[in-house]
Amino acid sequence: MEEQIEIKDGKRKTSLKKVFPGYVLVKMIVTEESWYIVRNTRGVTGFVGSGTDPIPLTEDEIRNMGFDIAAINVDYEINDSVKVLHGPLEGFIGTVQEINKEKNKVKVLVSMFGRETPVELEFSQVHKV
């Protein structure tokens, strides 16, 4: 809902207006069970996206809608050792070089083929060793 100010007959009137009428925004972790529940909720006729899979909103889209992105706290600091949990570098261990909380990214020096290589990863891709 969004406040809307109307001026009628010289009088100022504030009313609430639906921003996205007919839409429901859901923040969820998509699993088979949670997706089944949402998909089979009475009154749900479709999803934004192509095919049957919904497309998640980007962080910019969420911010433009007036929602704040919750800051993610990480349990590692610069110079800590971390292990890559998933992605092409899964299983590699590296050293945290930089933490960028605005982008939710961490720069890690990973030893590959005998060389230290800086890689930028999502906060969720690494875990403190």
Side-chain angles (χ1 to χ4, degrees), residues 105-123:
K105 300 226 183 223
V106 60
K107 190 177 284 186
V108 179
L109 282 178
V110 178
S111 180
M112 292 180 2
F113 309 115
R115 294 180 70 180
E116 293 284 315
T117 306
V119 292
E120 192 172 78
L121 303 166
E122 300 283 336
F123 283 166

Side-chain angles (χ1 to χ4, degrees), residues 84-96:
V84 181
L85 300 175
H86 53 84
L89 301 175
E90 181 178 347
F92 279 84
I93 294 177
T95 306
V96 176

Side-chain angles (χ1 to χ4, degrees), residues 12-13 20-21 26-27 34 46 53 58 66 73 75 87 98 129:
R12 186 180 178 135
K13 181 183 174 186
F20 299 106
V26 179
K27 180 179 181 180
S34 66
D53 295 330
T58 65
N73 292 323
D75 62 346
E98 182 182 313
V129 181

